[in-house]
Amino acid sequence: MKKILFRYLFKGFLFPLLFTIVAFCSLVIIADLFGSLEDFIQNKATPGQIFHYYLAYLPAVIIMIVPPASLFSSLYFLMQLHRHGELIAMQACGVPLQKIFTPFLIIGVLVTLFLAALQLGPGGNSQAKRDQILEDIKGNKTAVHALRGIIYKEEAEKRIWYFRQLDFIKNQGEDVEVVVQENSGKDLKKYFARKAAWKDNHWIFYEVNRIDYDSANNFLQSTYFETLPLVSWNTPPRQMVALEKKPRDLNASELWKLINKPRSIQKTLLAPYQVQFYTLVAEPLTILVLLLIGLAEGGRLSSRHPTAGVFNALFILIAFYLIFHFFQILGQGSRIPPAVAIFSPLVAFTLFSLFRIAPLFGIRFPGKHS
């Protein structure tokens, strides 16, 4: 009997959830298609390019859609149980509410883990990949793949890099200058290379002049190399351009390397990248937060006024996203610590949902009357 009930509740929540995800994803993609159709037609995009465009965009759409879908799906199924008197019948037969909610929470945890793997893996910079494919369709590959006038400082190694142009897809740089300094700030060496390439986890300079200085910063000699492998120089191009790119253009791994590497980066410059990293971690968790809100409001539905709980949940959903994005802005501006900015709304709304759901389990708070 318990297994039959579990399967019934599991399927009863899973099917509306999948339907809502597919429906919402379809609406978002169709809306984007109407917005991008002119670009596709003007640039004669092939069906394969359009397919890869939306395949790259799909992870971002899923991550955006699933949390509110979990809220609406739980509300819908609980409303159906209320409407047919099944929820009361289950409780009358001695089935505790925690067992009724268990299938919902199991699905919520599984979907959260899936989204976390997607978000922290290939889907973390999904929108940037979509934009890159669109620029490729337009023929603006250089605008996406290469940056000009890049200056990068390696504090630990005391090296200052300058690239006239750095292509972080081909891992090649043009007209490269590198200054190697002492701890005191005096120049030890300077490199002037026509080209540079990142191969086998180190840099190789081509057509390069190396200028050496003595301890008094006087010129010693200039040496020309046709090819100069620099095996110990192992900072990849993507890390060098990280601060030149928008935070959303970096995936979780690139963001972590940027914010975790000890360098003297201004706090205000680093804050948006920290906020983006913590956002990637937090967004999958919003599924559980909104699911708890759905269970709290769905469990409190009244057969006489069923729509009241739906409007309450909708209002809470809007308030959650408004507050979440407001705190994001505060974190990006270094008004509050980035981790606090991202996770405090999740903690606050989790506590709020537990406060709302507690009376369903017979838990009363001082000063609260039924």
Side-chain angles (χ1 to χ4, degrees):
M1 182 65 182
K2 291 181 179 179
K3 291 182 179 180
I4 295 174
L5 180 60
F6 179 88
R7 285 198 299 268
Y8 173 71
L9 294 172
F10 191 91
K11 292 180 180 179
F13 174 55
L14 181 61
F15 290 160
L17 177 62
L18 293 176
F19 176 82
T20 307
I21 292 171
V22 172
F24 283 5
C25 284
S26 300
L27 289 174
V28 172
I29 290 175
I30 290 171
D32 184 85
L33 178 61
F34 279 108
S36 306
L37 193 59
E38 185 178 353
D39 291 325
F40 293 152
I41 295 173
Q42 286 182 351
N43 296 282
K44 299 179 180 179
T46 65
Q49 288 176 316
I50 297 174
F51 173 77
H52 284 100
Y53 173 87
Y54 284 108
L55 186 64
Y57 187 36
L58 187 59
V61 176
I62 292 174
I63 291 164
M64 175 177 61
I65 289 301
V66 172
S70 66
L71 171 62
F72 292 129
S73 301
S74 61
L75 272 175
Y76 169 79
F77 184 49
L78 288 173
M79 185 181 294
Q80 292 298 105
L81 294 179
H82 270 287
R83 181 175 297 172
H84 298 102
E86 293 174 281
L87 191 63
I88 296 174
M90 292 177 198
Q91 292 177 296
C93 292
V95 180
L97 196 59
Q98 57 265 32
K99 288 193 176 181
I100 297 175
F101 285 170
T102 297
F104 294 81
L105 296 174
I106 290 175
I107 292 175
V109 170
L110 292 175
V111 176
T112 298
L113 293 175
F114 169 75
L115 249 64
L118 184 66
Q119 180 88 307
L120 301 179
N125 57 346
S126 176
Q127 294 190 52
K129 291 178 181 177
R130 179 199 65 169
D131 295 342
Q132 178 178 313
I133 293 172
L134 183 59
E135 291 298 326
D136 288 346
I137 292 173
K138 293 178 179 179
N140 300 329
K141 293 186 178 181
T142 304
V144 177
H145 299 166
L147 296 173
R148 294 178 177 271
I150 300 300
I151 297 175
Y152 178 78
K153 293 182 179 181
E154 292 182 283
E155 296 294 336
E157 293 80 8
K158 302 299 178 185
R159 289 195 290 261
I160 303 174
W161 297 67
Y162 170 79
F163 294 88
R164 183 181 64 81
Q165 180 171 294
L166 177 58
D167 190 319
F168 52 88
I169 299 298
K170 296 181 179 178
N171 291 328
Q172 294 178 356
E174 297 179 7
D175 295 333
V176 184
E177 299 178 20
V178 182
V179 179
V180 182
Q181 298 179 324
E182 295 179 339
N183 291 330
S184 61
K186 293 181 179 180
D187 295 344
L188 281 176
K189 299 178 188 292
K190 288 183 179 179
Y191 297 81
F192 300 90
R194 180 72 63 185
K195 292 184 179 181
W198 170 260
K199 295 180 180 178
D200 300 324
N201 293 320
H202 69 273
W203 283 98
I204 301 175
F205 286 178
Y206 300 94
E207 300 179 47
V208 54
N209 277 308
R210 188 187 71 194
I211 300 175
D212 299 309
Y213 298 88
D214 61 17
S215 57
N217 207 29
N218 296 315
F219 171 81
L220 283 179
Q221 62 179 356
S222 177
T223 310
Y224 176 79
F225 301 90
E226 191 71 32
T227 303
L228 181 61
L230 299 162
V231 179
S232 62
W233 294 23
N234 53 14
T235 303
R238 282 189 173 273
Q239 185 172 326
M240 292 181 170
V241 302
L243 282 175
E244 304 293 329
K245 299 168 71 176
K246 296 177 182 178
R248 74 172 192 143
D249 292 345
L250 303 176
N251 60 33
S253 176
E254 291 168 336
L255 286 166
W256 176 249
K257 290 177 182 177
L258 176 64
I259 67 177
N260 198 45
K261 188 175 177 63
R263 292 188 293 158
S264 57
I265 302 176
Q266 292 182 13
K267 183 179 177 181
T268 53
L269 291 177
L270 195 58
Y273 298 89
Q274 292 174 316
V275 167
Q276 179 64 17
F277 175 78
Y278 292 126
T279 299
L280 294 181
V281 175
E283 280 183 335
L285 298 176
T286 60
I287 295 172
L288 295 176
V289 177
L290 295 180
L291 179 58
L292 284 174
I293 292 172
L295 294 178
E297 299 307 316
R300 299 162 67 95
L301 287 173
S302 169
S303 57
R304 295 177 61 185
H305 303 288
T307 57
V310 176
F311 281 112
N312 284 341
L314 186 60
F315 174 78
I316 295 169
L317 176 67
I318 295 171
F320 172 78
Y321 278 111
L322 285 175
I323 293 172
F324 185 79
H325 289 301
F326 176 70
F327 272 72
Q328 267 187 322
I329 294 170
L330 292 179
Q332 290 168 349
S334 296
R335 301 293 183 181
I336 56 179
V340 174
I342 298 304
F343 290 106
S344 55
L346 268 65
V347 173
F349 275 85
T350 299
L351 294 175
F352 172 78
S353 63
L354 293 176
F355 176 80
R356 294 282 290 174
I357 210 170
L360 300 177
F361 293 89
I363 301 173
R364 303 294 177 187
F365 297 97
K368 182 176 177 61
H369 302 284
S370 56

